[in-house]
Amino acid sequence: MALSDRSRESLLPSFLYAPVAARSFAGASRFPAAPASGGAPSFPIQAPNERIEMYSPAFYAACTAGGIASCGLTHMAVTPLDLVKCNMQIDPVKYKSISSGFGVLAKEQGVRGFFRGWVPTLLGYSAQGACKFGFYEFFKKYYSDIAGPEYAQKYKTLIYLAGSASAEVIADVALCPFEAVKVRVQTQPGFARGLSDGLPKFIKSEGAMGLYKGIVPLWGRQIPYTMMKFASFETIVELIYKHAVPVPKSECSKPFQLGISFAGGYIAGVFCAIVSHPADNLVSFLNNAKGASVGDAVKKLGLWGLFTRGLPLRIVMIGTLTGAQWGIYDAFKVMVGLPTTGGVTAAPAPTAEAVSKASA
């Protein structure tokens, strides 16, 4: 049964999707504001062809499906870069640079070797993407409701950070077993061909709990990464629409909006790579060496190596990856009739003093 207009409004955190009435531009009559009730302003959702109710179960299901498509496919596509990066982190003597790393792999394993570990990559990051994007939308709404309209608007960046961190804690629980097998397959030639033989072999060697040996450093890598990914993306896209685009977002074509999503995602990805790289080195080291500890990793890699080894390649990989993920995610949302993410903030609600003056 369709929701009433009032129920529909109650599902929307006001700062996420801007009211058209708050923006002054030509053609605004094409998006009339919803009738006000009791003197409080009410606003339509910025998706003229919307087929899914915002913040309904169907909305979260759509975001989950979009997350699967965006993360699983993009991580699988950059498997060769990830393979070289992991080997540079584990064996810097043999894999001295990006170009020499590709050369060594091509000589020893052939072209097919560049996609070793693609199955655990696809499945693991699909599971992670489902939880990351689906729960981010859920927690963003949840924390907005707790804060209330005024504080949700004022502290929206903190809401982005808290929502993305909460989502990533759950997402990494889904990713960790696949990541453990992936790193072992990619960095130990002969260990296994892929997930089907690598998973039972890993469990036999280190037990089922060994699959979660890297969960803490994985959180250390992914939580800062995801907080930066979502908060910086939302902020960057908002700034682009505010300062670089001469017309309101609602007047921009969908392809143009998706281009903004990719550009904002790429810039955010650069920041993501930098803040999460030390933990990425730890994850690769711990999942490669049986019985290794964080102290062993720091001793072998050194603090400088922990922060810089493999970083240029990871910046290229994560920048492209994050841009593509936001592009695919928002393209999926557009396909099902939802608005693209971010870029618009609502006008502040009028104060009681302003209301009393207006009515005088």
Side-chain angles (χ1 to χ4, degrees):
M1 184 173 68
L3 294 173
S4 67
D5 288 342
R6 191 169 183 81
S7 298
R8 183 184 177 92
E9 291 165 22
S10 69
L11 294 173
L12 291 169
S14 62
F15 73 94
L16 297 176
Y17 298 96
V20 174
R23 306 287 298 265
S24 175
F25 57 90
S29 59
R30 290 177 296 157
F31 304 97
S37 175
S42 57
F43 308 111
I45 299 169
Q46 297 304 292
N49 300 317
E50 186 177 352
R51 297 189 295 276
I52 295 177
E53 293 287 348
M54 292 294 298
Y55 300 98
S56 65
F59 168 80
Y60 293 118
C63 293
T64 298
I68 291 172
S70 68
C71 290
L73 295 177
T74 52
H75 276 276
M76 184 185 71
V78 298
T79 296
L81 285 172
D82 187 46
L83 185 62
V84 173
K85 177 205 53 112
C86 287
N87 280 283
M88 286 177 65
Q89 292 170 330
I90 297 303
D91 192 352
V93 175
K94 184 176 181 180
Y95 299 89
K96 297 177 180 174
S97 66
I98 297 171
S99 57
S100 68
F102 276 108
V104 170
L105 287 173
K107 182 179 180 181
E108 293 185 351
Q109 302 175 36
V111 176
R112 292 183 62 183
F114 286 121
F115 283 90
R116 194 169 73 247
W118 72 269
V119 174
T121 297
L122 174 63
L123 296 181
Y125 283 94
S126 293
Q128 187 214 36
C131 297
K132 185 198 297 274
F133 282 92
F135 280 108
Y136 172 68
E137 299 287 1
F138 171 80
F139 283 117
K140 185 166 66 171
K141 171 68 168 65
Y142 178 73
Y143 293 141
S144 296
D145 289 344
I146 292 175
E150 180 182 353
Y151 288 111
Q153 168 65 27
K154 186 176 181 180
Y155 299 110
K156 59 187 176 183
T157 300
L158 292 179
I159 289 174
Y160 299 149
L161 292 169
S164 56
S166 301
E168 191 59 38
V169 170
I170 300 170
D172 287 344
V173 174
L175 170 64
C176 196
F178 297 98
E179 182 76 359
V181 176
K182 176 189 78 74
V183 171
R184 189 67 62 88
V185 168
Q186 289 181 334
T187 59
Q188 290 188 10
F191 172 75
R193 294 188 305 273
L195 181 66
S196 59
D197 58 335
L199 180 60
K201 193 171 182 179
F202 192 106
I203 293 175
K204 184 178 180 180
S205 172
E206 302 197 29
M209 293 307 297
L211 293 168
Y212 285 93
K213 179 177 66 175
I215 186 65
V216 173
L218 186 63
W219 278 329
R221 180 188 81 184
Q222 290 298 129
I223 292 176
Y225 164 87
T226 301
M227 293 170 72
M228 182 66 73
K229 174 179 179 175
F230 284 90
S232 62
F233 172 82
E234 299 258 18
T235 302
I236 290 166
V237 169
E238 181 179 335
L239 290 174
I240 290 174
Y241 280 112
K242 185 176 181 181
H243 298 290
V245 179
V247 296
K249 178 182 176 181
S250 56
E251 287 190 342
C252 298
S253 67
K254 292 301 181 185
F256 183 84
Q257 291 183 31
L258 293 176
I260 296 295
S261 294
F262 176 81
Y266 195 99
I267 297 170
V270 174
F271 295 120
C272 292
I274 294 171
V275 301
S276 63
H277 192 66
D280 183 62
N281 273 320
L282 286 177
V283 170
S284 295
F285 187 91
L286 293 177
N287 284 328
N288 177 71
K290 182 177 180 180
S293 66
V294 173
D296 296 331
V298 174
K299 184 177 180 180
K300 182 172 181 179
L301 300 176
L303 285 177
W304 179 252
L306 202 62
F307 278 85
T308 61
R309 183 168 294 169
L311 180 59
L313 179 57
R314 192 158 185 266
I315 286 176
V316 174
M317 185 181 80
I318 297 300
T320 305
L321 198 70
T322 307
Q325 284 176 358
W326 277 114
I328 292 172
Y329 179 66
D330 274 351
F332 187 89
K333 289 175 73 176
V334 167
M335 183 180 71
V336 299
L338 293 168
T340 58
T341 308
V344 186
T345 52
T351 62
E353 182 181 356
V355 172
S356 63
K357 285 182 178 180
S359 61

